[in-house]
Amino acid sequence: MKIYRPRSINLKQTLVCIALFGVHGAAMADAERFEADLRALFSEGGTLSIGDVSSAMLRSRLTAEDIVFEADEGERLLIDRYIVSGDYDAPAEVTLEGLRIEDSLTELTLMSVERIVLGEPSQAVFPLHDDALTPEQVRLGSLAIDGIVIELASELAEEIFFDTPFSSGHGRMTIDKLRGESLSHEAIGMLEISGMAGVFDELDELGSGSFTLRSLRLEGLTGIDKEGEEKLASLVLRDLAVESPELVARLALIDLDGNFDDGKGGVRLEGLHMDLARMIELAPEDERTQLRMVSNVLTGGSGELRLDAALLGSWQEKDEHSVLISDSQIDIHDALSLLLDINLPLLLPHDVTPSDAFGNMDWLEDATLLGGDIHLSLANQGLFSRLATLGAAMEGVTEALYVEQVRTQAQGFGMMFGPEIQAVLVGLVDLLEGSAQHLDVRVTLPAQSNVTTYMSDPLGVPGKLSVKVETR
């Protein structure tokens, strides 16, 4: 007779079984909390249905599927899947897939999103209707949204684009990707939009048309919880194109450096191209003659206005004072080029840092200027000769007579405002006449002065400065 002897129980297997039962119990409890939080989220003003709530023990994942919320106002929210990964009280990630907002009466989709991923959110489900939820409790480590489609002619769009031209327009907007980092009620570490496009109708003053935007990225946006204290470290916009009856334009780049903690900042604009000829064709017939005249003067008849600009500044700390330096340039192709260089040594008011100074230029009124110089250079690239032709035609005189009339007026203004202003105005007349193509103005400040003194006596300012004017 064979005697059955039970195998000895493996201690490791026992511990694993106990752990799994414990995890299963905790997962079931979290699943119940998850469903309760979802129902609380949509507890006001409508009805909610949830197809299924499940938990994956080993992967610490909770999933709610087929969420449908019917709002009393007539809108319907549908979410294919709502997934919470990690510890429910401190999730590693929350994912929403297949989100749609529909008008339940017309069945029109007002907004759809393929996927939303919230990285390290402060909560698994934000109780938006809970008065106990303060703005400080809403935080995201990261944000990723893909495949956004928004119908502009809806109350939802009005809320999303509040206080922007898109809030009152009709049409559709699509966004391929939206990415964010370190998001809270008071600051945004980074936010980037990629692949944005839209068609619109009755959009503010633009009328009907379309636009595309390759990307828009901003970093270091702070103070958004306090009106008037917003600060932006940087913004980069690439490849914007707009076409409408009021504006046909392309812009290659805007690069804004608003972080002055490193002693420098400013803005660069590259590749602004306005198709004035196309805009004239789209304009009302009674406005075309005046618009064409302006276009011919600015572009020499090409109908294409192209502009590049850089407005840059830097700050240097010396032993006993600071130096403000500005290097700016505006270039309107086939029209004119303007250069402005500023070098101002100065003493800042007490407790004012260079970063504060760049952020609010009002401090300049209280600063002590320790000399310095300003250089303005203007190069004619065709604009002034066209202005002379236009002026003569409007006056019904020859160009030579028109230029002499303008020169007489410039000399008269010089008698009113002083020889320094007269020299600048006469230099501009030389550009108009064509006897010169460049105008240089160099201004040297006295050894010690302040802006307040200049503001109190504007007409006396030129006499307090050393002004040198050259044409060539």
Side-chain angles (χ1 to χ4, degrees):
M1 180 177 178
K2 185 175 181 181
I3 301 175
Y4 173 72
R5 298 179 181 276
R7 295 180 180 179
S8 61
I9 297 177
N10 187 295
L11 179 59
K12 182 182 294 186
Q13 292 176 339
T14 304
L15 293 175
V16 169
C17 290
I18 294 174
L20 288 176
F21 279 119
V23 170
H24 178 70
M28 292 300 295
D30 284 344
E32 293 176 357
R33 289 177 59 196
F34 182 32
E35 182 172 354
D37 287 344
L38 286 175
R39 293 192 180 280
L41 173 63
F42 301 104
S43 62
E44 297 183 6
T47 58
L48 174 69
S49 66
I50 302 176
D52 180 58
V53 177
S54 60
S55 60
M57 293 182 295
L58 296 180
R59 291 187 292 175
S60 299
R61 175 183 293 180
L62 299 170
T63 302
E65 298 187 13
D66 300 326
I67 300 172
V68 180
F69 175 67
E70 299 274 357
D72 292 341
E73 293 81 3
E75 293 179 350
R76 180 190 299 126
L77 170 65
L78 303 97
I79 302 175
D80 291 344
R81 278 171 295 280
Y82 191 126
I83 304 168
V84 179
S85 302
D87 186 343
Y88 187 78
D89 291 312
E93 195 172 87
V94 169
T95 303
L96 286 76
E97 297 177 349
L99 184 148
R100 301 176 304 285
I101 299 177
E102 300 174 348
D103 186 323
S104 58
L105 298 178
T106 63
E107 300 299 325
L108 175 67
T109 300
L110 306 179
M111 178 179 178
S112 65
V113 181
E114 293 178 4
R115 182 182 175 92
I116 301 175
V117 180
L118 312 178
E120 299 179 350
S122 52
Q123 294 184 232
V125 178
F126 293 108
L128 302 180
H129 301 297
D130 190 346
D131 294 337
L133 182 68
T134 63
E136 291 78 6
Q137 292 176 285
V138 181
R139 300 183 307 278
L140 297 175
S142 64
L143 173 66
I145 306 179
D146 296 322
I148 304 171
V149 180
I150 303 174
E151 294 292 336
L152 297 179
S154 66
E155 293 183 2
L156 175 65
E158 290 181 14
E159 295 178 2
I160 295 175
F161 300 110
F162 176 74
D163 205 25
T164 72
F166 294 111
S167 64
S168 59
H170 297 75
R172 170 178 289 196
M173 178 185 297
T174 61
I175 300 174
D176 290 343
K177 296 179 181 179
L178 188 150
R179 298 291 184 265
E181 297 176 359
S182 302
L183 309 170
S184 70
H185 77 291
E186 60 184 6
I188 297 176
M190 185 278 290
L191 188 67
E192 183 173 21
I193 298 173
S194 303
M196 187 174 183
V199 292
F200 51 83
D201 185 27
E202 300 178 6
L203 184 60
D204 206 16
E205 297 180 356
L206 291 178
S208 302
S210 63
F211 74 92
T212 59
L213 173 65
R214 176 184 169 189
S215 67
L216 173 64
R217 180 185 178 96
L218 61 86
E219 297 182 7
L221 178 58
T222 60
I224 56 179
D225 57 330
K226 298 178 182 179
E227 187 175 354
E229 296 188 14
E230 302 89 346
K231 291 184 178 180
L232 180 61
S234 72
L235 181 148
V236 179
L237 177 151
R238 297 183 186 278
D239 297 333
L240 171 66
V242 180
E243 182 167 345
S244 75
E246 298 294 329
L247 179 64
V248 179
R250 299 193 306 271
L251 176 61
L253 173 71
I254 291 181
D255 187 348
L256 169 66
D257 180 1
N259 180 14
F260 301 111
D261 292 336
D262 58 359
K264 60 183 179 180
V267 61
R268 289 190 299 118
L269 184 150
E270 295 181 2
L272 174 61
H273 177 201
M274 298 181 66
D275 192 341
L276 301 182
R278 176 64 175 157
M279 292 168 61
I280 293 171
E281 291 178 2
L282 297 173
E285 187 174 352
D286 59 346
E287 298 178 7
R288 293 175 187 171
T289 298
Q290 184 175 3
L291 291 174
R292 187 169 286 108
M293 181 176 62
V294 174
S295 173
N296 289 338
V297 171
L298 289 176
T299 70
S302 69
E304 296 184 358
L305 178 65
R306 295 174 295 147
L307 184 147
D308 298 294
L311 308 176
L312 307 176
S314 62
W315 195 274
Q316 296 180 2
E317 289 291 334
K318 302 297 183 179
D319 293 338
E320 298 180 354
H321 65 276
S322 304
V323 180
L324 173 64
I325 299 174
S326 176
D327 181 12
S328 302
Q329 179 174 352
I330 299 175
D331 188 4
I332 304 177
H333 296 256
D334 300 321
L336 62 85
S337 178
L338 178 67
L339 302 176
L340 178 62
D341 296 328
I342 299 176
N343 188 315
L344 293 180
L346 47 82
L347 293 175
L348 288 173
H350 183 63
D351 293 334
V352 176
T353 66
S355 179
D356 296 333
F358 268 119
N360 183 4
M361 297 300 287
D362 291 342
W363 63 269
L364 190 59
E365 296 182 12
D366 299 321
T368 300
L369 305 178
L370 306 176
D373 57 82
I374 301 172
H375 176 213
L376 173 67
S377 177
L378 180 61
N380 178 31
Q381 296 180 357
L383 176 64
F384 283 89
S385 59
R386 295 193 290 268
L387 285 174
T389 301
L390 176 63
M394 295 182 67
E395 293 288 334
V397 297
T398 64
E399 289 188 26
L401 181 58
Y402 175 74
V403 170
E404 285 306 311
Q405 292 175 350
V406 175
R407 188 182 300 277
T408 300
Q409 292 175 352
Q411 292 170 344
F413 278 113
M415 295 177 63
M416 295 169 53
F417 299 110
E420 295 86 3
I421 300 298
Q422 183 184 68
V424 174
L425 294 177
V426 171
L428 292 173
V429 175
D430 291 341
L431 296 181
L432 200 66
E433 184 183 41
S435 58
Q437 295 299 318
H438 294 82
L439 171 66
D440 283 331
V441 181
R442 298 182 183 274
V443 179
T444 303
L445 280 67
Q448 185 167 326
S449 62
N450 60 70
V451 174
T452 304
T453 301
Y454 297 141
M455 294 176 63
S456 62
D457 183 18
L459 293 180
V461 170
K464 299 175 182 178
L465 307 174
S466 174
V467 180
K468 184 179 180 180
V469 180
E470 295 181 350
T471 57
R472 62 181 191 277

